[in-house]
Amino acid sequence: MSSCGVKVICRFRPMNQREKTEVLTNVPEWNLNFIDESGLEVTLGKSHYTFTFDRIFDSDSKQDDVYNLSARPTIDDVLEGYNGTIFAYGQSGSGKTFTMFGPDKPFPEPLKGIIPRASQHIFEHIEEDEKSSYAIKCSFLEIYKENIRDLLSPNSGGTKDYLKVRESPTRGVWVDGLTSEFATCEQDIDDLIALGDNSRSVSATQMNARSSRSHSIFIITIEQKAEDGSTKTGKLNLVDLAGSEKIAKTGATGETLEEAKKINQSLSALGKCINALTTAKAHIPYRESKLTRILQESL
């Protein structure tokens, strides 16, 4: 298993034209210096800031490099029977969905994101393992304004269709009533992702023409049975978080403003949990949001 429970990878995308114009207008003296693979230095006028991460990818990084160095170890752990979570966190429009899924289809192989690469990784492992039998089950949900909706049930959407989080000593934490579909190949997972993605809550903001207004969690449960009858189960949560937002920048109003408030509240709760986990605090505040509650056993 990976030696560290939580790793933070920082990825930079190229600036778009609007951002370049804003920087040149508002911050004439700025510089971004990549010190090495884990450190960077930011200069804004007369202010200097240094940041350290487990790994940094600059704007020239490739999708396969990001997957192999940041996601592959977690997939290997899940195939060994552990639970794991991979999520993209950042401002609206920063490239989270591109990193997790890739661009809108059709797209060339090199642009595939973490989720389709994880699917390929899992089924290649199954193909090579002749001593165990496998069952792969998938679920796809979104958390929209702290309400849970099943993305694999396209007709859901009313308040009566919102799902609840349950917990028991024997089963642990689960989402009651969430659809679970068997997958036998990569195409099955691609089809489920496409079905769920079409049902996600999105909206246009000044930062992003198609901004995700919900957190989505694609859950892959891998059940294995060895020749001697022993079994093990690993659960992989692949999370595309809604973007953190500064209201003044996104221009959010009305319903979009209310969405932004809920997004920021749940991201704050996630930050608290990760901070508590990495500093070995006695209490982890999982119950402060639906997102952290669902991910409780995999963070």
Side-chain angles (χ1 to χ4, degrees):
M1 186 179 180
S2 301
S3 59
C4 179
V6 178
K7 290 186 177 180
V8 181
I9 313 297
C10 182
R11 187 184 193 185
F12 287 80
R13 65 157 173 75
M15 286 196 295
N16 57 38
Q17 189 56 50
R18 179 186 59 77
E19 291 165 336
K20 291 178 181 178
T21 300
E22 285 184 353
V23 168
L24 290 174
T25 302
N26 302 319
V27 192
E29 296 182 19
W30 72 278
N31 185 56
L32 182 64
N33 176 39
F34 294 96
I35 302 169
D36 52 30
E37 292 183 342
S38 60
L40 65 92
E41 185 178 58
V42 179
T43 301
L44 297 174
K46 296 181 179 180
S47 301
H48 302 273
Y49 307 91
T50 301
F51 301 92
T52 302
F53 300 91
D54 289 293
R55 182 62 189 254
I56 295 173
F57 293 99
D58 62 24
S59 58
D60 294 325
S61 63
K62 307 301 182 184
Q63 293 280 65
D64 59 342
D65 292 333
V66 174
Y67 178 78
N68 287 327
L69 291 167
S70 62
R72 179 176 286 275
T74 299
I75 311 304
D76 288 335
D77 288 343
V78 172
L79 288 167
E80 289 297 320
Y82 297 98
N83 294 337
T85 297
I86 300 170
F87 55 80
Y89 176 93
Q91 182 173 288
S92 180
S94 59
K96 299 180 300 300
T97 299
F98 176 81
T99 296
M100 293 303 293
F101 292 94
D104 293 335
K105 285 190 173 183
F107 54 79
E109 179 76 15
L111 295 183
K112 286 170 60 174
I114 285 175
I115 292 178
R117 288 177 188 276
S119 170
Q120 180 180 357
H121 182 166
I122 289 167
F123 283 104
E124 286 179 350
H125 174 89
I126 292 173
E127 185 71 22
E128 294 170 359
D129 185 356
E130 299 178 352
K131 297 182 178 181
S132 301
S133 60
Y134 290 80
I136 309 296
K137 294 186 290 185
C138 301
S139 299
F140 202 2
L141 64 86
E142 77 168 353
I143 304 172
Y144 175 68
K145 295 201 296 186
E146 283 300 287
N147 294 309
I148 303 170
R149 193 163 70 90
D150 189 345
L151 290 177
L152 298 184
S153 181
N155 295 323
S156 67
T159 55
K160 64 181 179 63
D161 297 313
Y162 292 149
L163 305 179
K164 296 184 180 298
V165 180
R166 307 290 190 189
E167 183 176 12
S168 73
T170 54
R171 188 174 174 182
V173 177
W174 79 96
V175 178
D176 194 23
L178 183 65
T179 300
S180 182
E181 298 282 359
F182 283 96
T184 59
C185 61
E186 291 178 55
Q187 188 60 51
D188 287 346
I189 291 183
D190 287 347
D191 291 343
L192 292 173
I193 290 171
L195 173 64
D197 193 49
N198 287 334
S199 302
R200 283 196 71 183
S201 300
V202 299
S203 180
T205 73
Q206 292 177 10
M207 298 292 290
N208 192 354
R210 191 175 184 273
S211 174
S212 301
R213 312 309 296 166
S214 66
H215 309 305
S216 77
I217 307 177
F218 190 76
I219 305 167
I220 302 176
T221 303
I222 304 173
E223 299 174 350
Q224 304 177 47
K225 186 174 182 179
E227 289 179 321
D228 61 5
S230 62
T231 62
K232 57 184 176 183
T233 301
K235 181 189 291 185
L236 175 64
N237 295 297
L238 296 160
V239 187
D240 181 27
L241 294 172
S244 61
E245 298 187 352
K246 289 186 177 180
I247 306 304
K249 281 192 173 184
T250 59
T253 59
E255 183 70 10
T256 305
L257 175 60
E258 292 306 310
E259 292 168 348
K261 291 178 180 177
K262 291 293 186 181
I263 289 168
N264 289 341
Q265 287 173 7
S266 62
L267 292 176
S268 175
L270 176 61
K272 289 180 181 178
C273 283
I274 292 177
N275 178 264
L277 287 166
T278 55
T279 54
K281 291 184 178 178
H283 173 67
I284 314 297
Y286 292 117
R287 294 178 179 271
E288 287 194 10
S289 78
K290 298 288 178 60
L291 175 67
T292 52
R293 191 84 174 92
I294 293 170
L295 298 178
Q296 178 175 338
E297 296 179 332
S298 300
L299 284 176

